[in-house]
Amino acid sequence: KPEAPHQLMMGAPPDRIQRDLRAAFAWLSARKDVKAAKMGSIGWCMGGRWTMALATEEPRLAAAVAYYGAPPTEPSAIARIKAPLLGNFGGDDKGPAPEQVKGFEAAMKSAGQTIDVKIYPGAGHAFANVNNPWGGYRKEAAEDAWARTTAFLAKYLKK
């Protein structure tokens, strides 16, 4: 049932999530088998939100991909983003709504940040999830978003 994960998601303390993400980044970047200068983050829904939040706090992040996660709104947080960011969002999504996404994109561009956003018309939240519990999977949008994602990650992480 989608209600149980939603309840867990809403109860997760934001400061703990941010600490855990930064600790994971530090642990991975210290490994000899990891190219620390080529680390990225990708997330869907809550994970998309936290991928963007990690980008505001981790200047060594080399790429960030967010699928329908709520973007940061504070200009100071947006200004701290150093990683190129790719966003895949639904035109019928309510959280984040297309207006919020467009505002974030404009703020990123205004701050001189690298951002590539696509809003898929007729797609709602979790459009790329084949098991979307609300029946909102959109095959064409999901495949296009994944092609954009793999090309973006190859561009920024495989150099």
Side-chain angles (χ1 to χ4, degrees):
K1 290 186 174 188
E3 295 80 24
H6 188 260
Q7 289 299 320
L8 290 170
M9 179 179 80
M10 298 307 293
D15 59 330
R16 178 175 178 189
I17 294 170
Q18 191 67 275
R19 281 195 316 271
D20 288 351
L21 287 171
R22 300 229 28 219
F25 187 94
W27 182 80
L28 284 169
S29 65
R31 293 180 53 100
K32 290 182 174 141
D33 59 342
V34 172
K35 292 180 183 173
K38 297 292 181 183
M39 290 177 49
S41 179
I42 183 171
W44 288 258
C45 187
M46 179 182 176
R49 173 183 175 217
W50 286 107
T51 284
M52 290 183 278
L54 178 62
T56 69
E57 298 296 326
E58 182 48 70
R60 297 173 298 161
L61 191 67
V65 178
Y67 280 72
Y68 32 82
T73 56
E74 290 295 318
S76 62
I78 293 168
R80 289 192 309 268
I81 296 173
K82 302 300 178 220
L85 197 142
L86 178 80
N88 297 304
F89 298 92
D92 293 347
D93 202 343
K94 305 278 187 281
E99 298 75 31
Q100 185 180 2
V101 172
K102 289 175 186 173
F104 173 65
E105 180 183 27
M108 285 281 290
K109 286 180 177 177
S110 189
Q113 315 296 40
T114 301
I115 185 164
D116 179 356
V117 167
K118 187 164 183 179
I119 299 173
Y120 292 89
H125 196 76
F127 70 83
N129 181 353
V130 71
N131 297 311
N132 184 318
W134 305 281
Y137 176 66
R138 299 293 178 265
K139 185 179 189 314
E140 286 184 21
E143 288 175 354
D144 183 72
W146 187 247
R148 285 169 37 81
T149 298
T150 57
F152 181 85
L153 292 174
K155 177 179 180 178
Y156 290 103
L157 301 182
K158 289 188 176 181
K159 291 181 185 177

